[in-house]
Amino acid sequence: MEANVVDHTSMWSLISNASIVVQLVMLTLVAASVTSWIMIFQRSNMLRAAKKALETFEERFWSGIDLSKLYRQAGSNPDPDSGVEQIFRAGFKEFSRLRQQAGVDPDAVMEGVSRAMRVAISREEEKIEQSLPFLATVGSTSPYIGLFGTVWGIMNSFRGLAQVQQATLATVAPGIAEALIATAIGLFAAIPAVIAYNRFAARGETLIGRYYTFADEFQAILHRKVHTSDD
């Protein structure tokens, strides 16, 4: 008898005996949680690789290497994880193209370089923020979805009590327990998503800030280069 009670109140038994609506809620939350964890690992690896690539490229950039040589090296063996490399290539490519045109004003050259690097930075921002909206959605909606499943399950439990002559705790407990599982799963999906969103947003903002800093420093170098060569 005791074994039957334990089996009846086991986690799997509560889930399998839940109503279709509650089971759909649980399935939706589990799918959202699994997808969130996949994105968390992908974003974490991407940001880690982007930061490492940034530090590596900045070390090469400030080593005194000729910019034309660095551009050729970056073009022959591009690093897809290096956002700063993409910004450098976009800026130097536009700089070289405009410098080859006769009669182009130096200020126009620098304006073109600035515009090209802004576009490159915007593309890198899109890559960094790619999964953040989904994580924010999971973090903000999962508790409410789980709460909906809980409310629905408790409602069904009380409806079942109306058909019982004598209501006891043993009668109502399994229905309430299976309903509360939905809230637990909702919190399990939401908490990691919220933590990951905040962490990735902060790391992404720091990375983008360093991209803008590099672009400003690179633009200052090109500004001196274009005006010195004209003099």
Side-chain angles (χ1 to χ4, degrees):
M1 181 68 179
E2 184 179 353
N4 292 334
V5 172
V6 173
D7 181 69
H8 182 68
T9 57
S10 65
M11 187 70 67
W12 175 249
S13 177
L14 292 174
I15 294 175
S16 60
N17 292 329
S19 64
I20 297 298
V21 174
V22 177
Q23 288 181 345
L24 288 176
V25 168
M26 294 178 183
L27 182 62
T28 301
L29 292 173
V30 169
S33 179
V34 171
T35 305
S36 295
W37 278 107
I38 293 174
M39 291 186 174
I40 287 171
F41 284 116
Q42 290 178 342
R43 290 294 95 186
S44 180
N45 292 333
M46 188 274 291
L47 290 173
R48 189 182 303 110
K51 182 181 179 182
K52 182 178 180 180
L54 169 63
E55 295 172 349
T56 301
F57 186 84
E58 281 189 333
E59 184 178 351
R60 293 169 57 196
F61 180 83
W62 295 112
S63 65
I65 187 174
D66 182 71
L67 294 181
S68 300
K69 181 179 179 181
L70 181 59
Y71 177 75
R72 290 193 298 270
Q73 291 178 354
S76 62
N77 188 24
D79 185 358
D81 296 325
S82 180
V84 69
E85 182 180 297
Q86 308 302 324
I87 297 167
F88 167 78
R89 291 177 59 194
F92 195 81
K93 180 180 179 181
E94 186 68 9
F95 176 79
S96 301
R97 186 183 70 83
L98 294 176
R99 289 287 292 159
Q100 292 174 359
Q101 299 179 5
V104 179
D105 184 73
D107 292 335
V109 174
M110 296 312 303
E111 178 62 29
V113 170
S114 178
R115 182 169 54 252
M117 288 195 292
R118 285 199 303 268
V119 172
I121 292 176
S122 296
R123 290 173 180 169
E124 295 305 316
E125 283 187 279
E126 292 177 359
K127 292 180 182 178
I128 292 175
E129 298 174 355
Q130 187 173 0
S131 300
L132 292 184
F134 179 83
L135 292 176
T137 301
V138 172
S140 60
T141 61
S142 292
Y144 296 103
I145 296 175
L147 183 61
F148 168 76
T150 297
V151 172
W152 187 274
I154 292 177
M155 181 181 65
N156 283 340
S157 296
F158 280 110
R159 287 175 59 189
L161 287 178
Q163 303 174 2
V164 178
Q165 296 292 335
Q166 184 177 1
T168 62
L169 182 60
T171 305
V172 70
I176 295 178
E178 71 186 27
L180 291 175
I181 292 176
T183 297
I185 297 176
L187 294 175
F188 179 79
I191 293 174
V194 171
I195 295 175
Y197 173 84
N198 292 332
R199 180 173 177 81
F200 292 157
R203 291 174 62 184
E205 185 177 350
T206 301
L207 197 60
I208 293 298
R210 294 186 65 177
Y211 286 164
Y212 275 108
T213 300
F214 172 83
D216 291 339
E217 294 172 340
F218 182 41
Q219 189 172 347
I221 294 174
L222 294 180
H223 186 273
R224 291 194 299 268
K225 188 178 181 67
V226 71
H227 283 83
T228 302
S229 60
D230 287 341
D231 293 342

